Amino acid sequence: MARVFVYGTLKKGQPNYKHMINTANGLAKFQGRGRTVEKYPLVIAGKYNIPYMLNIPGTGHHVAGEIYSVDEQMLQFLDEFEGCPDMYQRTLMRIQVVEWEGKGGAGEARAAADGILECFVYSTATYPPEWVGLPYYDSYDSSGKHGLSYVLRESRE
Protein backbone atom coordinates (compact mmCIF):
# COMPACT_ATOMS: atom_id res chain seq x y z
CA MET A 1 0.00 0.00 0.00
CA ALA A 2 1.18 3.51 -0.82
CA ARG A 3 0.30 6.73 0.95
CA VAL A 4 -1.24 9.53 -1.14
CA PHE A 5 -2.04 13.11 -0.10
CA VAL A 6 -4.93 14.70 -2.03
CA TYR A 7 -5.60 18.44 -1.82
CA GLY A 8 -8.11 19.15 -4.61
CA THR A 9 -11.12 17.61 -6.31
CA LEU A 10 -10.42 14.10 -4.92
CA LYS A 11 -11.08 15.11 -1.28
CA LYS A 12 -14.30 14.16 0.52
CA GLY A 13 -17.15 16.44 -0.53
CA GLN A 14 -15.38 17.50 -3.74
CA PRO A 15 -16.40 16.77 -7.36
CA ASN A 16 -14.05 13.81 -8.02
CA TYR A 17 -14.21 12.10 -4.61
CA LYS A 18 -16.43 9.44 -6.24
CA HIS A 19 -13.29 8.04 -7.91
CA MET A 20 -11.60 7.49 -4.52
CA ILE A 21 -14.45 5.31 -3.28
CA ASN A 22 -15.06 3.40 -6.53
CA THR A 23 -13.50 -0.01 -5.84
CA ALA A 24 -13.39 -0.72 -9.59
CA ASN A 25 -10.45 1.76 -9.56
CA GLY A 26 -8.74 -0.02 -6.66
CA LEU A 27 -8.75 0.51 -2.91
CA ALA A 28 -8.30 3.81 -1.10
CA LYS A 29 -8.60 4.02 2.67
CA PHE A 30 -8.93 7.42 4.34
CA GLN A 31 -6.21 7.77 6.99
CA GLY A 32 -6.49 11.35 8.15
CA ARG A 33 -5.98 15.00 7.38
CA GLY A 34 -2.74 16.85 6.97
CA ARG A 35 -0.93 19.75 5.40
CA THR A 36 2.33 20.11 3.54
CA VAL A 37 5.37 20.65 5.77
CA GLU A 38 6.77 23.06 3.20
CA LYS A 39 4.78 25.88 1.65
CA TYR A 40 3.55 25.49 -1.93
CA PRO A 41 1.41 27.64 -4.21
CA LEU A 42 -2.04 26.08 -4.66
CA VAL A 43 -3.76 27.79 -7.59
CA ILE A 44 -7.01 27.34 -9.50
CA ALA A 45 -6.23 27.59 -13.20
CA GLY A 46 -7.39 27.07 -16.75
CA LYS A 47 -10.84 27.28 -18.27
CA TYR A 48 -12.02 24.28 -16.20
CA ASN A 49 -10.92 25.79 -12.85
CA ILE A 50 -8.60 22.91 -11.94
CA PRO A 51 -6.64 23.06 -8.66
CA TYR A 52 -2.87 22.71 -9.11
CA MET A 53 -0.13 22.59 -6.49
CA LEU A 54 2.83 24.20 -8.23
CA ASN A 55 6.09 22.48 -7.35
CA ILE A 56 7.74 25.62 -5.99
CA PRO A 57 8.69 24.72 -2.40
CA GLY A 58 8.93 27.65 0.01
CA THR A 59 6.31 29.76 -1.80
CA GLY A 60 2.61 30.00 -0.96
CA HIS A 61 0.97 28.20 1.95
CA HIS A 62 1.04 24.97 3.93
CA VAL A 63 -1.58 23.21 1.77
CA ALA A 64 -4.33 21.26 3.54
CA GLY A 65 -5.59 17.90 2.30
CA GLU A 66 -6.39 14.28 3.06
CA ILE A 67 -4.12 11.27 3.49
CA TYR A 68 -5.13 7.95 1.93
CA SER A 69 -3.59 4.52 1.88
CA VAL A 70 -4.03 3.12 -1.65
CA ASP A 71 -3.28 -0.17 -3.37
CA GLU A 72 -1.26 -0.51 -6.58
CA GLN A 73 -4.40 -0.58 -8.75
CA MET A 74 -5.65 2.74 -7.28
CA LEU A 75 -2.19 4.29 -7.63
CA GLN A 76 -2.18 3.32 -11.34
CA PHE A 77 -5.70 4.77 -11.71
CA LEU A 78 -4.64 8.02 -10.03
CA ASP A 79 -1.56 8.30 -12.26
CA GLU A 80 -3.80 8.03 -15.31
CA PHE A 81 -6.53 10.27 -13.87
CA GLU A 82 -4.00 12.98 -13.00
CA GLY A 83 -2.36 12.87 -16.44
CA CYS A 84 0.93 11.79 -14.88
CA PRO A 85 3.64 12.67 -15.86
CA ASP A 86 2.50 15.35 -18.34
CA MET A 87 -0.08 17.40 -16.41
CA TYR A 88 0.94 16.42 -12.87
CA GLN A 89 3.97 14.61 -11.54
CA ARG A 90 3.74 12.18 -8.62
CA THR A 91 6.41 13.08 -6.09
CA LEU A 92 7.05 12.31 -2.43
CA MET A 93 6.38 15.17 -0.03
CA ARG A 94 6.48 15.49 3.72
CA ILE A 95 3.01 15.90 5.20
CA GLN A 96 2.25 17.13 8.71
CA VAL A 97 -0.52 15.01 10.24
CA VAL A 98 -3.31 17.18 11.65
CA GLU A 99 -5.86 14.46 12.41
CA TRP A 100 -5.25 10.70 12.23
CA GLU A 101 -7.80 7.90 11.87
CA GLY A 102 -5.54 5.35 10.22
CA LYS A 103 -5.20 1.87 11.56
CA GLY A 104 -1.93 0.23 10.67
CA GLY A 105 1.11 -1.48 12.08
CA ALA A 106 3.26 -0.12 14.89
CA GLY A 107 5.59 1.61 12.41
CA GLU A 108 2.72 3.52 10.83
CA ALA A 109 1.31 4.48 14.23
CA ARG A 110 4.75 5.72 15.30
CA ALA A 111 5.14 7.75 12.09
CA ALA A 112 1.74 9.33 12.62
CA ALA A 113 2.56 10.03 16.27
CA ASP A 114 5.73 11.84 15.17
CA GLY A 115 3.39 13.98 13.11
CA ILE A 116 5.14 13.79 9.73
CA LEU A 117 4.58 11.26 6.94
CA GLU A 118 6.01 10.89 3.46
CA CYS A 119 3.17 10.78 0.95
CA PHE A 120 2.86 10.78 -2.81
CA VAL A 121 1.42 14.08 -4.04
CA TYR A 122 0.34 15.06 -7.54
CA SER A 123 1.90 18.48 -8.07
CA THR A 124 3.12 20.11 -11.25
CA ALA A 125 6.36 21.58 -12.52
CA THR A 126 4.89 21.84 -16.05
CA TYR A 127 2.69 24.94 -15.88
CA PRO A 128 2.46 28.24 -17.77
CA PRO A 129 4.63 30.90 -16.06
CA GLU A 130 1.63 33.22 -15.55
CA TRP A 131 0.12 30.73 -13.07
CA VAL A 132 2.70 31.89 -10.51
CA GLY A 133 0.82 35.22 -10.46
CA LEU A 134 -2.57 33.65 -9.62
CA PRO A 135 -3.98 33.81 -6.06
CA TYR A 136 -2.58 31.13 -3.72
CA TYR A 137 -4.88 29.09 -1.47
CA ASP A 138 -4.13 27.03 1.64
CA SER A 139 -7.14 24.78 1.10
CA TYR A 140 -9.30 23.87 -1.89
CA ASP A 141 -13.08 23.81 -2.10
CA SER A 142 -14.74 23.74 -5.54
CA SER A 143 -17.62 25.84 -4.19
CA GLY A 144 -15.41 28.25 -2.20
CA LYS A 145 -15.60 32.05 -2.05
CA HIS A 146 -13.29 32.28 -5.06
CA GLY A 147 -16.29 31.55 -7.32
CA LEU A 148 -14.22 29.25 -9.56
CA SER A 149 -16.33 26.08 -9.65
CA TYR A 150 -14.55 23.04 -11.05
CA VAL A 151 -15.86 21.83 -14.42
CA LEU A 152 -16.33 18.05 -14.43
CA ARG A 153 -14.68 16.17 -17.31
CA GLU A 154 -18.03 14.96 -18.56
CA SER A 155 -19.26 18.59 -18.77
CA ARG A 156 -16.29 19.91 -20.75
CA GLU A 157 -16.50 20.86 -24.40
Side-chain angles (χ1 to χ4, degrees), residues 26-80:
L27 298 175
K29 178 159 182 14
F30 177 76
Q31 300 282 278
R33 290 179 173 68
R35 64 175 170 259
T36 58
V37 169
E38 291 196 75
K39 293 179 177 182
Y40 289 92
L42 171 58
V43 300
I44 301 171
K47 66 179 183 175
Y48 303 124
N49 298 323
I50 297 171
Y52 293 91
M53 185 188 301
L54 308 183
N55 199 344
I56 311 172
T59 302
H61 301 286
H62 299 283
V63 177
E66 298 173 348
I67 302 162
Y68 287 84
S69 183
V70 302
D71 67 4
E72 187 59 34
Q73 183 183 343
M74 179 60 83
L75 196 59
Q76 296 281 327
F77 168 81
L78 291 172
D79 279 355
E80 191 173 311

Side-chain angles (χ1 to χ4, degrees), residues 81-155:
F81 182 81
E82 299 288 14
C84 189
D86 302 321
M87 192 157 114
Y88 293 91
Q89 297 79 49
R90 176 166 43 99
T91 55
L92 278 172
M93 287 185 189
R94 293 173 356 130
I95 303 300
Q96 173 79 48
V97 175
V98 174
E99 186 183 310
W100 188 252
E101 291 183 15
K103 295 171 180 56
E108 189 169 282
R110 239 190 339 273
D114 291 343
I116 295 177
L117 296 172
E118 287 234 308
C119 299
F120 283 122
V121 180
Y122 292 91
S123 64
T124 186
T126 53
Y127 53 86
E130 60 269 19
W131 287 9
V132 176
L134 293 171
Y136 298 164
Y137 300 93
D138 61 357
S139 181
Y140 175 79
D141 183 347
S142 178
S143 56
K145 292 183 205 151
H146 49 69
L148 302 169
S149 294
Y150 175 79
V151 179
L152 288 166
R153 289 175 186 203
E154 49 271 27
S155 304

